[in-house]
Amino acid sequence: DTGVSQNPRHKITKRGQNVTFRCDPISEHNRLYWYRQTLGQGPEFLTYFQNEAQLEKSRLLSDRFSAERPKGSFSTLEIQRTEQGDSAMYLCASSQQGTQETQYFGPGTRLLVL
Amino acid sequence: QQQVKQSPQSLIVQKGGISIINCAYENTAFDYFPWYQQFPGKGPALLIAIRPDVSEKKEGRFTISFNKSAKQFSLHIMDSQPGDSATYFCAATFRGGYQKVTFGTGTKLQVIP
């Protein structure tokens, strides 16, 4: 399968703990996005990488959130001191810069903070 | 601020019927309007998309109708099938530069035999 992969698929943690999610984009894609999706809502943009550079961060991404994309390949999203309000599906998408650009989404990581 | 409004929240359609989902947007700078289909446990997948200089786009059983003056667009699923049962999201973004997609709230479609 050469699609976008995300790990873990599910994460249960206690409030106050740190969690880290990984996204492996489609190999030739230079753009990578993170979104958050809560129950009954559409995904909301969190942040965007072009290669290894993080070019935009949403105001939804508080100081407790940090994302990296070392070497422009895989990306990680870390949430420090998790809160119950962080419970959501975290989706990663990748695309190749171009005129017919299409974002391909991974299956997501579902986070539950107890 | 919800920039893309979507209705209905849920929809039940008989097999063979037409499913219609409506969306409205606020930001006139949007210039690309994709629709995504999401099955449980999966990420959204691009279904069909339209640019505002086109009033209609059809791909198989799926048709987007676009009304630029009203800032509204809709998805029509003809001959709806049980396999179409999923959540559908309308969205809006910008073709220039990277695509920060703004999604609607979703419509859960159930097609009953």
Side-chain angles (χ1 to χ4, degrees), chain A residues 50-87:
Chain A
Q50 174 124 348
N51 300 308
E52 67 276 10
Q54 187 175 21
L55 297 185
E56 184 172 348
K57 297 195 311 184
S58 162
R59 58 178 173 77
L60 295 174
L61 216 63
S62 75
D63 292 344
R64 296 184 297 105
F65 288 71
S66 63
E68 295 182 342
R69 192 184 182 198
K71 302 178 183 178
S73 55
F74 71 92
S75 176
T76 59
L77 178 67
E78 180 183 16
I79 309 174
Q80 296 182 327
R81 305 181 304 280
T82 52
E83 301 174 356
Q84 288 183 325
D86 297 331
S87 297

PDB file of all heavy atoms in Angstrom, chain A residues 50-87:
ATOM      1  N   GLN A  50       5.958  22.367   3.733  1.00  0.00           N
ATOM      2  CA  GLN A  50       6.461  22.210   2.378  1.00  0.00           C
ATOM      3  C   GLN A  50       7.885  21.687   2.552  1.00  0.00           C
ATOM      4  O   GLN A  50       8.756  22.392   3.078  1.00  0.00           O
ATOM      5  CB  GLN A  50       6.463  23.527   1.613  1.00  0.00           C
ATOM      6  CG  GLN A  50       7.121  23.408   0.255  1.00  0.00           C
ATOM      7  CD  GLN A  50       6.233  23.838  -0.893  1.00  0.00           C
ATOM      8  OE1 GLN A  50       5.026  24.034  -0.737  1.00  0.00           O
ATOM      9  NE2 GLN A  50       6.818  24.005  -2.057  1.00  0.00           N
ATOM     10  N   ASN A  51       8.099  20.461   2.124  1.00  0.00           N
ATOM     11  CA  ASN A  51       9.349  19.757   2.428  1.00  0.00           C
ATOM     12  C   ASN A  51       9.525  19.757   3.948  1.00  0.00           C
ATOM     13  O   ASN A  51       8.632  19.342   4.656  1.00  0.00           O
ATOM     14  CB  ASN A  51      10.508  20.386   1.683  1.00  0.00           C
ATOM     15  CG  ASN A  51      10.286  20.321   0.180  1.00  0.00           C
ATOM     16  OD1 ASN A  51      10.005  19.250  -0.364  1.00  0.00           O
ATOM     17  ND2 ASN A  51      10.398  21.452  -0.497  1.00  0.00           N
ATOM     18  N   GLU A  52      10.651  20.247   4.460  1.00  0.00           N
ATOM     19  CA  GLU A  52      10.857  20.204   5.912  1.00  0.00           C
ATOM     20  C   GLU A  52      10.406  21.485   6.611  1.00  0.00           C
ATOM     21  O   GLU A  52      10.421  21.560   7.840  1.00  0.00           O
ATOM     22  CB  GLU A  52      12.324  19.929   6.235  1.00  0.00           C
ATOM     23  CG  GLU A  52      13.289  21.038   5.850  1.00  0.00           C
ATOM     24  CD  GLU A  52      13.722  20.969   4.403  1.00  0.00           C
ATOM     25  OE1 GLU A  52      13.138  20.181   3.640  1.00  0.00           O
ATOM     26  OE2 GLU A  52      14.642  21.723   4.048  1.00  0.00           O
ATOM     27  N   ALA A  53      10.004  22.491   5.845  1.00  0.00           N
ATOM     28  CA  ALA A  53       9.644  23.786   6.426  1.00  0.00           C
ATOM     29  C   ALA A  53       8.166  23.839   6.818  1.00  0.00           C
ATOM     30  O   ALA A  53       7.279  23.561   6.000  1.00  0.00           O
ATOM     31  CB  ALA A  53       9.956  24.889   5.428  1.00  0.00           C
ATOM     32  N   GLN A  54       7.932  24.225   8.068  1.00  0.00           N
ATOM     33  CA  GLN A  54       6.562  24.412   8.547  1.00  0.00           C
ATOM     34  C   GLN A  54       6.148  25.831   8.188  1.00  0.00           C
ATOM     35  O   GLN A  54       6.637  26.798   8.790  1.00  0.00           O
ATOM     36  CB  GLN A  54       6.488  24.182  10.055  1.00  0.00           C
ATOM     37  CG  GLN A  54       5.079  24.203  10.601  1.00  0.00           C
ATOM     38  CD  GLN A  54       5.015  23.854  12.091  1.00  0.00           C
ATOM     39  OE1 GLN A  54       6.001  23.958  12.809  1.00  0.00           O
ATOM     40  NE2 GLN A  54       3.861  23.425  12.559  1.00  0.00           N
ATOM     41  N   LEU A  55       5.252  25.980   7.229  1.00  0.00           N
ATOM     42  CA  LEU A  55       4.951  27.292   6.674  1.00  0.00           C
ATOM     43  C   LEU A  55       3.697  27.940   7.248  1.00  0.00           C
ATOM     44  O   LEU A  55       3.514  29.143   7.089  1.00  0.00           O
ATOM     45  CB  LEU A  55       4.847  27.210   5.156  1.00  0.00           C
ATOM     46  CG  LEU A  55       6.129  26.788   4.439  1.00  0.00           C
ATOM     47  CD1 LEU A  55       5.942  26.860   2.933  1.00  0.00           C
ATOM     48  CD2 LEU A  55       7.317  27.625   4.888  1.00  0.00           C
ATOM     49  N   GLU A  56       2.823  27.177   7.841  1.00  0.00           N
ATOM     50  CA  GLU A  56       1.653  27.794   8.464  1.00  0.00           C
ATOM     51  C   GLU A  56       1.183  26.941   9.636  1.00  0.00           C
ATOM     52  O   GLU A  56       1.198  25.719   9.578  1.00  0.00           O
ATOM     53  CB  GLU A  56       0.495  27.976   7.478  1.00  0.00           C
ATOM     54  CG  GLU A  56      -0.702  28.709   8.127  1.00  0.00           C
ATOM     55  CD  GLU A  56      -1.808  29.102   7.162  1.00  0.00           C
ATOM     56  OE1 GLU A  56      -1.593  29.036   5.935  1.00  0.00           O
ATOM     57  OE2 GLU A  56      -2.892  29.476   7.634  1.00  0.00           O
ATOM     58  N   LYS A  57       0.771  27.629  10.678  1.00  0.00           N
ATOM     59  CA  LYS A  57       0.176  26.983  11.850  1.00  0.00           C
ATOM     60  C   LYS A  57      -1.133  27.677  12.170  1.00  0.00           C
ATOM     61  O   LYS A  57      -1.195  28.901  12.252  1.00  0.00           O
ATOM     62  CB  LYS A  57       1.110  27.071  13.057  1.00  0.00           C
ATOM     63  CG  LYS A  57       2.417  26.343  12.878  1.00  0.00           C
ATOM     64  CD  LYS A  57       3.165  26.141  14.189  1.00  0.00           C
ATOM     65  CE  LYS A  57       3.315  27.339  15.025  1.00  0.00           C
ATOM     66  NZ  LYS A  57       4.143  27.076  16.242  1.00  0.00           N
ATOM     67  N   SER A  58      -2.180  26.876  12.355  1.00  0.00           N
ATOM     68  CA  SER A  58      -3.480  27.424  12.713  1.00  0.00           C
ATOM     69  C   SER A  58      -3.459  27.910  14.157  1.00  0.00           C
ATOM     70  O   SER A  58      -2.680  27.427  14.979  1.00  0.00           O
ATOM     71  CB  SER A  58      -4.550  26.351  12.546  1.00  0.00           C
ATOM     72  OG  SER A  58      -5.721  26.681  13.246  1.00  0.00           O
ATOM     73  N   ARG A  59      -4.361  28.845  14.454  1.00  0.00           N
ATOM     74  CA  ARG A  59      -4.491  29.285  15.853  1.00  0.00           C
ATOM     75  C   ARG A  59      -4.997  28.146  16.729  1.00  0.00           C
ATOM     76  O   ARG A  59      -4.923  28.200  17.948  1.00  0.00           O
ATOM     77  CB  ARG A  59      -5.429  30.480  15.937  1.00  0.00           C
ATOM     78  CG  ARG A  59      -6.813  30.201  15.381  1.00  0.00           C
ATOM     79  CD  ARG A  59      -7.734  31.407  15.520  1.00  0.00           C
ATOM     80  NE  ARG A  59      -9.005  31.185  14.848  1.00  0.00           N
ATOM     81  CZ  ARG A  59      -9.983  30.419  15.353  1.00  0.00           C
ATOM     82  NH1 ARG A  59      -9.826  29.821  16.508  1.00  0.00           N
ATOM     83  NH2 ARG A  59     -11.110  30.264  14.688  1.00  0.00           N
ATOM     84  N   LEU A  60      -5.539  27.078  16.102  1.00  0.00           N
ATOM     85  CA  LEU A  60      -5.963  25.896  16.860  1.00  0.00           C
ATOM     86  C   LEU A  60      -4.766  25.170  17.476  1.00  0.00           C
ATOM     87  O   LEU A  60      -4.915  24.410  18.434  1.00  0.00           O
ATOM     88  CB  LEU A  60      -6.721  24.921  15.955  1.00  0.00           C
ATOM     89  CG  LEU A  60      -8.051  25.397  15.375  1.00  0.00           C
ATOM     90  CD1 LEU A  60      -8.584  24.357  14.400  1.00  0.00           C
ATOM     91  CD2 LEU A  60      -9.063  25.633  16.486  1.00  0.00           C
ATOM     92  N   LEU A  61      -3.598  25.392  16.900  1.00  0.00           N
ATOM     93  CA  LEU A  61      -2.395  24.702  17.365  1.00  0.00           C
ATOM     94  C   LEU A  61      -1.783  25.486  18.512  1.00  0.00           C
ATOM     95  O   LEU A  61      -0.974  26.386  18.314  1.00  0.00           O
ATOM     96  CB  LEU A  61      -1.412  24.589  16.194  1.00  0.00           C
ATOM     97  CG  LEU A  61      -0.562  23.325  16.109  1.00  0.00           C
ATOM     98  CD1 LEU A  61      -1.453  22.108  15.906  1.00  0.00           C
ATOM     99  CD2 LEU A  61       0.435  23.434  14.983  1.00  0.00           C
ATOM    100  N   SER A  62      -2.215  25.129  19.735  1.00  0.00           N
ATOM    101  CA  SER A  62      -1.725  25.858  20.913  1.00  0.00           C
ATOM    102  C   SER A  62      -0.252  25.523  21.149  1.00  0.00           C
ATOM    103  O   SER A  62       0.337  24.677  20.482  1.00  0.00           O
ATOM    104  CB  SER A  62      -2.560  25.487  22.134  1.00  0.00           C
ATOM    105  OG  SER A  62      -2.196  24.197  22.587  1.00  0.00           O
ATOM    106  N   ASP A  63       0.312  26.176  22.169  1.00  0.00           N
ATOM    107  CA  ASP A  63       1.722  25.965  22.491  1.00  0.00           C
ATOM    108  C   ASP A  63       2.004  24.525  22.914  1.00  0.00           C
ATOM    109  O   ASP A  63       3.159  24.099  22.925  1.00  0.00           O
ATOM    110  CB  ASP A  63       2.140  26.929  23.615  1.00  0.00           C
ATOM    111  CG  ASP A  63       2.148  28.361  23.134  1.00  0.00           C
ATOM    112  OD1 ASP A  63       2.137  28.565  21.907  1.00  0.00           O
ATOM    113  OD2 ASP A  63       2.159  29.267  23.981  1.00  0.00           O
ATOM    114  N   ARG A  64       0.969  23.789  23.276  1.00  0.00           N
ATOM    115  CA  ARG A  64       1.175  22.403  23.695  1.00  0.00           C
ATOM    116  C   ARG A  64       1.382  21.473  22.495  1.00  0.00           C
ATOM    117  O   ARG A  64       1.770  20.327  22.662  1.00  0.00           O
ATOM    118  CB  ARG A  64      -0.015  21.920  24.507  1.00  0.00           C
ATOM    119  CG  ARG A  64      -0.227  22.664  25.815  1.00  0.00           C
ATOM    120  CD  ARG A  64      -1.384  22.074  26.626  1.00  0.00           C
ATOM    121  NE  ARG A  64      -2.662  22.191  25.921  1.00  0.00           N
ATOM    122  CZ  ARG A  64      -3.271  21.171  25.321  1.00  0.00           C
ATOM    123  NH1 ARG A  64      -2.739  19.964  25.325  1.00  0.00           N
ATOM    124  NH2 ARG A  64      -4.427  21.365  24.711  1.00  0.00           N
ATOM    125  N   PHE A  65       1.102  21.978  21.316  1.00  0.00           N
ATOM    126  CA  PHE A  65       1.226  21.183  20.101  1.00  0.00           C
ATOM    127  C   PHE A  65       2.515  21.559  19.373  1.00  0.00           C
ATOM    128  O   PHE A  65       2.831  22.746  19.229  1.00  0.00           O
ATOM    129  CB  PHE A  65       0.052  21.445  19.155  1.00  0.00           C
ATOM    130  CG  PHE A  65      -1.268  20.873  19.607  1.00  0.00           C
ATOM    131  CD1 PHE A  65      -1.948  21.412  20.685  1.00  0.00           C
ATOM    132  CD2 PHE A  65      -1.835  19.801  18.940  1.00  0.00           C
ATOM    133  CE1 PHE A  65      -3.157  20.889  21.100  1.00  0.00           C
ATOM    134  CE2 PHE A  65      -3.057  19.278  19.345  1.00  0.00           C
ATOM    135  CZ  PHE A  65      -3.717  19.817  20.423  1.00  0.00           C
ATOM    136  N   SER A  66       3.213  20.555  18.889  1.00  0.00           N
ATOM    137  CA  SER A  66       4.363  20.826  18.045  1.00  0.00           C
ATOM    138  C   SER A  66       4.431  19.772  16.956  1.00  0.00           C
ATOM    139  O   SER A  66       4.135  18.603  17.191  1.00  0.00           O
ATOM    140  CB  SER A  66       5.663  20.843  18.856  1.00  0.00           C
ATOM    141  OG  SER A  66       5.897  19.586  19.432  1.00  0.00           O
ATOM    142  N   ALA A  67       4.790  20.213  15.776  1.00  0.00           N
ATOM    143  CA  ALA A  67       4.892  19.306  14.642  1.00  0.00           C
ATOM    144  C   ALA A  67       6.243  19.490  13.985  1.00  0.00           C
ATOM    145  O   ALA A  67       6.790  20.593  13.957  1.00  0.00           O
ATOM    146  CB  ALA A  67       3.770  19.571  13.645  1.00  0.00           C
ATOM    147  N   GLU A  68       6.752  18.396  13.477  1.00  0.00           N
ATOM    148  CA  GLU A  68       8.037  18.418  12.793  1.00  0.00           C
ATOM    149  C   GLU A  68       7.955  17.574  11.544  1.00  0.00           C
ATOM    150  O   GLU A  68       7.164  16.630  11.465  1.00  0.00           O
ATOM    151  CB  GLU A  68       9.144  17.873  13.692  1.00  0.00           C
ATOM    152  CG  GLU A  68       9.440  18.699  14.911  1.00  0.00           C
ATOM    153  CD  GLU A  68      10.587  18.114  15.724  1.00  0.00           C
ATOM    154  OE1 GLU A  68      10.898  16.918  15.534  1.00  0.00           O
ATOM    155  OE2 GLU A  68      11.160  18.843  16.545  1.00  0.00           O
ATOM    156  N   ARG A  69       8.837  17.867  10.624  1.00  0.00           N
ATOM    157  CA  ARG A  69       8.985  17.036   9.435  1.00  0.00           C
ATOM    158  C   ARG A  69      10.459  17.038   9.052  1.00  0.00           C
ATOM    159  O   ARG A  69      10.882  17.669   8.077  1.00  0.00           O
ATOM    160  CB  ARG A  69       8.128  17.545   8.278  1.00  0.00           C
ATOM    161  CG  ARG A  69       8.044  16.529   7.139  1.00  0.00           C
ATOM    162  CD  ARG A  69       7.275  17.053   5.960  1.00  0.00           C
ATOM    163  NE  ARG A  69       7.172  16.026   4.918  1.00  0.00           N
ATOM    164  CZ  ARG A  69       6.870  16.271   3.651  1.00  0.00           C
ATOM    165  NH1 ARG A  69       6.615  17.512   3.260  1.00  0.00           N
ATOM    166  NH2 ARG A  69       6.796  15.280   2.793  1.00  0.00           N
ATOM    167  N   PRO A  70      11.252  16.307   9.824  1.00  0.00           N
ATOM    168  CA  PRO A  70      12.692  16.282   9.556  1.00  0.00           C
ATOM    169  C   PRO A  70      12.983  15.668   8.188  1.00  0.00           C
ATOM    170  O   PRO A  70      12.353  14.673   7.797  1.00  0.00           O
ATOM    171  CB  PRO A  70      13.251  15.417  10.688  1.00  0.00           C
ATOM    172  CG  PRO A  70      12.101  14.588  11.133  1.00  0.00           C
ATOM    173  CD  PRO A  70      10.874  15.406  10.929  1.00  0.00           C
ATOM    174  N   LYS A  71      13.871  16.289   7.463  1.00  0.00           N
ATOM    175  CA  LYS A  71      14.305  15.789   6.154  1.00  0.00           C
ATOM    176  C   LYS A  71      13.176  15.750   5.129  1.00  0.00           C
ATOM    177  O   LYS A  71      13.319  15.106   4.078  1.00  0.00           O
ATOM    178  CB  LYS A  71      14.934  14.399   6.275  1.00  0.00           C
ATOM    179  CG  LYS A  71      16.128  14.352   7.218  1.00  0.00           C
ATOM    180  CD  LYS A  71      16.688  12.948   7.329  1.00  0.00           C
ATOM    181  CE  LYS A  71      17.826  12.914   8.331  1.00  0.00           C
ATOM    182  NZ  LYS A  71      18.373  11.543   8.505  1.00  0.00           N
ATOM    183  N   GLY A  72      12.061  16.381   5.433  1.00  0.00           N
ATOM    184  CA  GLY A  72      10.986  16.452   4.460  1.00  0.00           C
ATOM    185  C   GLY A  72      10.321  15.139   4.148  1.00  0.00           C
ATOM    186  O   GLY A  72       9.671  15.006   3.108  1.00  0.00           O
ATOM    187  N   SER A  73      10.465  14.167   5.066  1.00  0.00           N
ATOM    188  CA  SER A  73       9.833  12.875   4.797  1.00  0.00           C
ATOM    189  C   SER A  73       8.642  12.693   5.737  1.00  0.00           C
ATOM    190  O   SER A  73       7.637  13.354   5.585  1.00  0.00           O
ATOM    191  CB  SER A  73      10.860  11.756   4.937  1.00  0.00           C
ATOM    192  OG  SER A  73      11.469  11.811   6.222  1.00  0.00           O
ATOM    193  N   PHE A  74       8.781  11.828   6.733  1.00  0.00           N
ATOM    194  CA  PHE A  74       7.687  11.610   7.676  1.00  0.00           C
ATOM    195  C   PHE A  74       7.517  12.840   8.559  1.00  0.00           C
ATOM    196  O   PHE A  74       8.395  13.713   8.634  1.00  0.00           O
ATOM    197  CB  PHE A  74       7.937  10.361   8.516  1.00  0.00           C
ATOM    198  CG  PHE A  74       9.053  10.519   9.518  1.00  0.00           C
ATOM    199  CD1 PHE A  74       8.782  10.936  10.820  1.00  0.00           C
ATOM    200  CD2 PHE A  74      10.369  10.266   9.163  1.00  0.00           C
ATOM    201  CE1 PHE A  74       9.807  11.092  11.742  1.00  0.00           C
ATOM    202  CE2 PHE A  74      11.397  10.414  10.075  1.00  0.00           C
ATOM    203  CZ  PHE A  74      11.116  10.839  11.367  1.00  0.00           C
ATOM    204  N   SER A  75       6.378  12.899   9.218  1.00  0.00           N
ATOM    205  CA  SER A  75       6.107  14.009  10.136  1.00  0.00           C
ATOM    206  C   SER A  75       5.618  13.458  11.469  1.00  0.00           C
ATOM    207  O   SER A  75       5.026  12.368  11.523  1.00  0.00           O
ATOM    208  CB  SER A  75       5.042  14.937   9.553  1.00  0.00           C
ATOM    209  OG  SER A  75       4.699  15.978  10.456  1.00  0.00           O
ATOM    210  N   THR A  76       5.879  14.185  12.529  1.00  0.00           N
ATOM    211  CA  THR A  76       5.347  13.845  13.835  1.00  0.00           C
ATOM    212  C   THR A  76       4.563  15.020  14.392  1.00  0.00           C
ATOM    213  O   THR A  76       4.892  16.183  14.134  1.00  0.00           O
ATOM    214  CB  THR A  76       6.456  13.473  14.832  1.00  0.00           C
ATOM    215  OG1 THR A  76       7.359  14.580  14.952  1.00  0.00           O
ATOM    216  CG2 THR A  76       7.199  12.236  14.379  1.00  0.00           C
ATOM    217  N   LEU A  77       3.520  14.696  15.119  1.00  0.00           N
ATOM    218  CA  LEU A  77       2.717  15.688  15.824  1.00  0.00           C
ATOM    219  C   LEU A  77       2.725  15.297  17.295  1.00  0.00           C
ATOM    220  O   LEU A  77       2.320  14.195  17.652  1.00  0.00           O
ATOM    221  CB  LEU A  77       1.282  15.706  15.294  1.00  0.00           C
ATOM    222  CG  LEU A  77       0.303  16.672  15.969  1.00  0.00           C
ATOM    223  CD1 LEU A  77       0.687  18.123  15.700  1.00  0.00           C
ATOM    224  CD2 LEU A  77      -1.128  16.413  15.504  1.00  0.00           C
ATOM    225  N   GLU A  78       3.235  16.181  18.141  1.00  0.00           N
ATOM    226  CA  GLU A  78       3.300  15.904  19.570  1.00  0.00           C
ATOM    227  C   GLU A  78       2.339  16.818  20.310  1.00  0.00           C
ATOM    228  O   GLU A  78       2.258  18.017  20.007  1.00  0.00           O
ATOM    229  CB  GLU A  78       4.719  16.102  20.117  1.00  0.00           C
ATOM    230  CG  GLU A  78       4.812  15.808  21.609  1.00  0.00           C
ATOM    231  CD  GLU A  78       6.197  16.065  22.189  1.00  0.00           C
ATOM    232  OE1 GLU A  78       7.002  16.734  21.534  1.00  0.00           O
ATOM    233  OE2 GLU A  78       6.447  15.588  23.317  1.00  0.00           O
ATOM    234  N   ILE A  79       1.635  16.253  21.250  1.00  0.00           N
ATOM    235  CA  ILE A  79       0.777  17.037  22.138  1.00  0.00           C
ATOM    236  C   ILE A  79       1.308  16.854  23.550  1.00  0.00           C
ATOM    237  O   ILE A  79       1.391  15.729  24.051  1.00  0.00           O
ATOM    238  CB  ILE A  79      -0.698  16.597  22.080  1.00  0.00           C
ATOM    239  CG1 ILE A  79      -1.193  16.535  20.641  1.00  0.00           C
ATOM    240  CG2 ILE A  79      -1.559  17.566  22.904  1.00  0.00           C
ATOM    241  CD1 ILE A  79      -2.611  15.972  20.503  1.00  0.00           C
ATOM    242  N   GLN A  80       1.684  17.925  24.169  1.00  0.00           N
ATOM    243  CA  GLN A  80       2.173  17.867  25.549  1.00  0.00           C
ATOM    244  C   GLN A  80       1.039  18.189  26.518  1.00  0.00           C
ATOM    245  O   GLN A  80       0.126  18.958  26.194  1.00  0.00           O
ATOM    246  CB  GLN A  80       3.312  18.875  25.733  1.00  0.00           C
ATOM    247  CG  GLN A  80       4.539  18.562  24.892  1.00  0.00           C
ATOM    248  CD  GLN A  80       5.670  19.543  25.130  1.00  0.00           C
ATOM    249  OE1 GLN A  80       5.437  20.724  25.398  1.00  0.00           O
ATOM    250  NE2 GLN A  80       6.896  19.061  25.070  1.00  0.00           N
ATOM    251  N   ARG A  81       1.126  17.584  27.679  1.00  0.00           N
ATOM    252  CA  ARG A  81       0.153  17.855  28.755  1.00  0.00           C
ATOM    253  C   ARG A  81      -1.282  17.779  28.208  1.00  0.00           C
ATOM    254  O   ARG A  81      -2.052  18.747  28.254  1.00  0.00           O
ATOM    255  CB  ARG A  81       0.417  19.217  29.379  1.00  0.00           C
ATOM    256  CG  ARG A  81       1.844  19.391  29.888  1.00  0.00           C
ATOM    257  CD  ARG A  81       2.065  20.759  30.525  1.00  0.00           C
ATOM    258  NE  ARG A  81       1.737  21.869  29.632  1.00  0.00           N
ATOM    259  CZ  ARG A  81       2.521  22.312  28.684  1.00  0.00           C
ATOM    260  NH1 ARG A  81       3.694  21.734  28.446  1.00  0.00           N
ATOM    261  NH2 ARG A  81       2.149  23.343  27.931  1.00  0.00           N
ATOM    262  N   THR A  82      -1.631  16.625  27.685  1.00  0.00           N
ATOM    263  CA  THR A  82      -2.925  16.469  27.013  1.00  0.00           C
ATOM    264  C   THR A  82      -4.086  16.850  27.917  1.00  0.00           C
ATOM    265  O   THR A  82      -4.047  16.676  29.139  1.00  0.00           O
ATOM    266  CB  THR A  82      -3.128  15.029  26.521  1.00  0.00           C
ATOM    267  OG1 THR A  82      -2.889  14.122  27.610  1.00  0.00           O
ATOM    268  CG2 THR A  82      -2.197  14.703  25.373  1.00  0.00           C
ATOM    269  N   GLU A  83      -5.121  17.374  27.287  1.00  0.00           N
ATOM    270  CA  GLU A  83      -6.363  17.753  27.954  1.00  0.00           C
ATOM    271  C   GLU A  83      -7.500  16.965  27.302  1.00  0.00           C
ATOM    272  O   GLU A  83      -7.381  16.497  26.177  1.00  0.00           O
ATOM    273  CB  GLU A  83      -6.608  19.252  27.788  1.00  0.00           C
ATOM    274  CG  GLU A  83      -5.500  20.113  28.343  1.00  0.00           C
ATOM    275  CD  GLU A  83      -5.688  21.589  28.032  1.00  0.00           C
ATOM    276  OE1 GLU A  83      -6.653  21.936  27.306  1.00  0.00           O
ATOM    277  OE2 GLU A  83      -4.860  22.401  28.499  1.00  0.00           O
ATOM    278  N   GLN A  84      -8.614  16.854  28.021  1.00  0.00           N
ATOM    279  CA  GLN A  84      -9.745  16.092  27.489  1.00  0.00           C
ATOM    280  C   GLN A  84     -10.241  16.680  26.175  1.00  0.00           C
ATOM    281  O   GLN A  84     -10.688  15.955  25.287  1.00  0.00           O
ATOM    282  CB  GLN A  84     -10.862  16.008  28.531  1.00  0.00           C
ATOM    283  CG  GLN A  84     -10.514  15.094  29.687  1.00  0.00           C
ATOM    284  CD  GLN A  84     -11.656  14.950  30.688  1.00  0.00           C
ATOM    285  OE1 GLN A  84     -12.398  15.891  30.940  1.00  0.00           O
ATOM    286  NE2 GLN A  84     -11.769  13.758  31.253  1.00  0.00           N
ATOM    287  N   GLY A  85     -10.106  17.982  26.028  1.00  0.00           N
ATOM    288  CA  GLY A  85     -10.530  18.645  24.797  1.00  0.00           C
ATOM    289  C   GLY A  85      -9.666  18.304  23.590  1.00  0.00           C
ATOM    290  O   GLY A  85     -10.029  18.640  22.458  1.00  0.00           O
ATOM    291  N   ASP A  86      -8.546  17.629  23.836  1.00  0.00           N
ATOM    292  CA  ASP A  86      -7.689  17.214  22.715  1.00  0.00           C
ATOM    293  C   ASP A  86      -8.204  15.936  22.061  1.00  0.00           C
ATOM    294  O   ASP A  86      -7.697  15.540  21.003  1.00  0.00           O
ATOM    295  CB  ASP A  86      -6.255  16.979  23.201  1.00  0.00           C
ATOM    296  CG  ASP A  86      -5.602  18.240  23.737  1.00  0.00           C
ATOM    297  OD1 ASP A  86      -5.954  19.340  23.276  1.00  0.00           O
ATOM    298  OD2 ASP A  86      -4.732  18.114  24.638  1.00  0.00           O
ATOM    299  N   SER A  87      -9.171  15.289  22.688  1.00  0.00           N
ATOM    300  CA  SER A  87      -9.721  14.053  22.126  1.00  0.00           C
ATOM    301  C   SER A  87     -10.324  14.331  20.760  1.00  0.00           C
ATOM    302  O   SER A  87     -11.210  15.186  20.624  1.00  0.00           O
ATOM    303  CB  SER A  87     -10.795  13.474  23.058  1.00  0.00           C
ATOM    304  OG  SER A  87     -10.241  13.112  24.298  1.00  0.00           O
TER     305      SER A  87
END
